Amino acid sequence: MALLVDRVRGHWRIAAGLLFNLLVSICIVFLNKWIYVYHGFPNMSLTLVHFVVTWLGLYICQKLDIFAPKSLPPSRLLLLALSFCGFVVFTNLSLQNNTIGTYQLAKAMTTPVIIAIQTFCYQKTFSTRIQLTLIPITLGVILNSYYDVKFNFLGMVFAALGVLVTSLYQVWVGAKQHELQVNSMQLLYYQAPMSSAMLLVAVPFFEPVFGEGGIFGPWSVSALLMVLLSGVIAFMVNLSIYWIIGNTSPVTQEMKSLAGCHGSRL
């Protein structure tokens, strides 16, 4: 009886985590699109803000004894930190250069790519039911792209790169949690500052830093508040993604995303 209660409680925790991630993911998509369209905040700089706020949020959690940091060798997190940068930058560039509908539609292809990576690179097998779900997903994306989505070559390039890097990143998150025997907070606590440092070096080469349009430019109070709010929500998204992958699998995370990927266009 106690075992059954624990199992039901575990299922409810996972369901609550999936629902929370779905809600904050929807929030950040619309908020970021608003920031790009109405404030013109630079993409990589916004991503840098997300990373810094994520690390600060985890630092506060650590000080409140919500989790205990675990010493990890930076060399074993380098590729993960780099893929984290690419994952967020390319998905934000896709959002910036596409409508919300196109952006979400492209994200649906992440599930087939994750399954392909895990099948061919990690020799993981999936049930026939899961494999069959790839057919309507792929056909739906192709048909909807052909009939409904306004073609934007640059946007599609960013979307394709976003799908590839996101898939690699989510597979690696699960692998690293298992390999290093760490939970979501412990892994993200070390990886977020590494990704922040990488972007801190890269931003000046691609975007202005000071003056009009720069991260330290003359932004309005409303723009700064929106960017800060986006950072807080990004912290919730990142943490919940790690938690979901650590407690289920990358495929579960992406199937959750598909549940919320159909909807409005901007």
Side-chain angles (χ1 to χ4, degrees), residues 115-126 131 248-251:
I115 290 177
I117 291 171
Q118 291 194 315
T119 300
F120 295 110
C121 299
Y122 291 87
Q123 288 74 52
K124 186 171 181 179
T125 57
F126 294 90
Q131 293 177 28
T248 55
S249 71
V251 173

Side-chain angles (χ1 to χ4, degrees), residues 13-197:
R13 284 177 63 245
I14 291 173
L18 290 169
L19 179 60
F20 177 77
N21 180 263
L22 176 62
L23 293 176
V24 292
S25 296
I26 292 171
C27 285
I28 202 167
V29 166
F30 283 95
L31 182 58
N32 284 355
K33 189 66 175 180
W34 179 278
I35 291 171
Y36 292 141
V37 172
Y38 295 104
H39 295 291
F41 201 85
N43 174 277
M44 290 182 70
S45 297
L46 182 62
T47 304
L48 178 58
V49 172
H50 288 177
F51 289 174
V52 171
V53 173
T54 295
W55 181 78
L56 288 174
L58 287 166
Y59 181 77
I60 293 171
C61 289
Q62 179 256 324
K63 287 298 182 183
L64 294 174
D65 292 327
I66 296 175
F67 75 100
K70 184 176 179 179
S71 181
L72 300 174
S75 59
R76 297 177 72 177
L77 296 177
L78 193 60
L79 276 178
L80 184 64
L82 188 61
S83 67
F84 190 35
C85 294
F87 152 54
V88 181
V89 168
F90 284 130
T91 51
N92 280 347
L93 283 169
S94 174
L95 178 61
Q96 188 175 12
N97 289 273
N98 293 308
T99 63
I100 289 179
T102 305
Y103 163 80
Q104 293 285 33
L105 188 65
K107 278 181 63 179
M109 286 304 298
T110 306
T111 302
V113 175
I114 285 176
I115 290 177
I117 291 171
Q118 291 194 315
T119 300
F120 295 110
C121 299
Y122 291 87
Q123 288 74 52
K124 186 171 181 179
T125 57
F126 294 90
S127 67
T128 304
R129 286 192 304 171
I130 291 179
Q131 293 177 28
L132 288 175
T133 62
L134 304 185
I135 298 174
I137 291 173
T138 306
L139 285 177
V141 170
I142 293 172
L143 292 173
N144 213 323
S145 299
Y146 183 80
Y147 288 108
D148 193 40
V149 176
K150 184 179 179 181
F151 184 77
N152 178 340
F153 179 75
L154 185 60
M156 288 299 177
V157 169
F158 287 138
L161 288 172
V163 166
L164 178 60
V165 179
T166 298
S167 302
L168 285 170
Y169 170 71
Q170 295 198 6
V171 170
W172 287 345
V173 165
K176 285 297 179 184
Q177 287 193 50
H178 178 74
E179 174 190 335
L180 300 172
Q181 291 298 295
V182 292
N183 62 33
S184 55
M185 285 186 161
Q186 289 170 327
L187 185 58
L188 194 54
Y189 182 74
Y190 280 92
Q191 184 230 298
M194 288 180 65
S195 298
S196 300

Side-chain angles (χ1 to χ4, degrees), residues 234-254:
F235 164 64
M236 299 177 186
V237 171
N238 292 329
L239 192 59
S240 58
I241 285 175
Y242 270 57
W243 186 88
I244 290 168
I245 293 174
N247 286 273
T248 55
S249 71
V251 173
T252 302
Q253 158 63 22
E254 281 310 309

